[in-house]
Amino acid sequence: MALMITDECINCDVCEPECPNGAIYQGQEIYEIDSSLCTECVGHFSKPQCQQVCPIDCIPFDPDMRETKEQLHEKYLRITAAK
Ligand code: SF4
Ligand code: SF4
């Protein structure tokens, strides 16, 4: 399950540099997450790093992006191989 940023985001810039996959970017109005690059931090960390640092807890799991740990690990391997 990838994560998503809600419109409560205050553009504090804290999460973007923490993402090991470069999945977080500045969108039109708030920061956004590219779900094709978000692995829930699987492969890098035990917990989603963006959630850890967001001061207002506006980065929930995206209910429309359900993925198993195995699928997330495969995504991690694809991203790593592409780098
Ligand atoms: S959960 Fe991890 S991979 Fe996904 S956006 Fe947050 S920091 Fe990046
Ligand atoms: S840490 Fe939270 S509030 Fe700050 S830019 Fe990221 S999503 Fe927005």
Side-chain angles (χ1 to χ4, degrees):
M1 201 183 289
L3 277 68
M4 60 182 283
I5 295 174
T6 72
D7 58 11
E8 291 169 288
C9 172
I10 55 170
N11 291 311
C12 73
D13 309 328
V14 170
C15 58
E16 189 267 339
E18 299 298 327
C19 180
N21 296 325
I24 302 174
Y25 61 97
Q26 175 77 68
Q28 292 275 12
E29 295 182 4
I30 55 171
Y31 275 86
E32 298 181 25
I33 292 176
D34 180 343
S35 59
S36 72
L37 294 177
C38 176
T39 63
E40 293 178 27
C41 284
V42 165
H44 293 279
F45 301 101
S46 59
K47 291 181 177 170
Q49 296 301 288
C50 53
Q51 275 186 340
Q52 300 293 304
V53 298
C54 181
I56 57 167
D57 286 340
C58 70
I59 317 181
F61 289 97
D62 185 344
D64 293 331
M65 284 297 300
R66 293 187 185 282
E67 294 160 290
T68 65
K69 286 287 181 205
E70 288 72 25
Q71 287 173 317
L72 290 166
H73 189 71
E74 283 170 17
K75 193 194 281 190
Y76 158 73
L77 293 176
R78 277 200 307 276
I79 295 168
T80 308
K83 278 186 180 169

